[in-house]
Amino acid sequence: MDKPKSEAHARIFAAIAAIPHGRVASYGAIAARAGLPGRARLVGRALGEVPDGMELPWFRVLRSSGQIAFPPGSRGFKEQSKRLKAEGVEVKNGRVPLATFGLDADLDRALWGMPG
DNA sequence: CTACTGACCGCGA
DNA sequence: GTCGCGGCCAGTA
């Protein structure tokens, strides 16, 4: 069978689902892990296409600077920050210190088996 | 077909 | 910290 055009979606979702509890990852990292290096936008699009009710830690996905992708005050922003805090992730001014909660090279390798 | 937009990224100044 | 530029893919007008 032919590969569905949503294969990228599936890979992205899988990569997001692989983020451990209490940790976060950037769009670029997800895209790279999904086999789509440089397609960070695709990740953003995919997240916008996530069906409501689907079990996916979308809130663990942040920008490369640790900033929440949603505009401050918006529904998604509140929801994401709230969920992150609920997991023990420090959200300050709509931003998360990736240096602390981001996936380290070791952990990243342990999770996704990237050579190092 | 072109043009614009979007839960983006990285570099340079 | 800011701003600008190019690149990337998909949907819409």
Side-chain angles (χ1 to χ4, degrees):
Chain A
M1 320 314 253
D2 54 65
K3 59 183 177 184
K5 72 173 187 178
S6 57
E7 182 178 340
H9 266 169
R11 286 183 169 232
I12 290 168
F13 292 151
I16 294 173
I19 305 174
H21 181 279
R23 290 273 165 163
V24 295
S26 64
Y27 287 84
I30 295 298
R33 193 45 260 165
L36 309 163
R39 280 68 170 173
R41 283 181 136 180
L42 207 46
V43 176
R45 261 202 71 77
L47 280 178
E49 294 288 310
V50 174
D52 191 29
M54 179 177 180
E55 191 173 338
L56 191 75
W58 57 268
F59 51 91
R60 292 182 191 149
V61 184
L62 305 168
R63 289 191 177 181
S64 62
S65 345
Q67 184 94 46
I68 293 179
F70 288 111
S74 67
R75 193 151 190 266
F77 181 92
K78 293 178 184 175
E79 183 72 16
Q80 187 164 15
S81 59
K82 185 176 175 179
R83 285 192 179 244
L84 287 174
K85 288 177 185 175
E87 292 198 346
V89 177
E90 179 181 302
V91 182
K92 193 66 177 177
N93 193 13
R95 185 169 61 184
V96 175
L98 295 180
T100 305
F101 301 98
L103 297 173
D104 293 347
D106 293 323
L107 184 53
D108 184 59
R109 179 156 42 94
L111 281 175
W112 299 321
M114 278 185 91

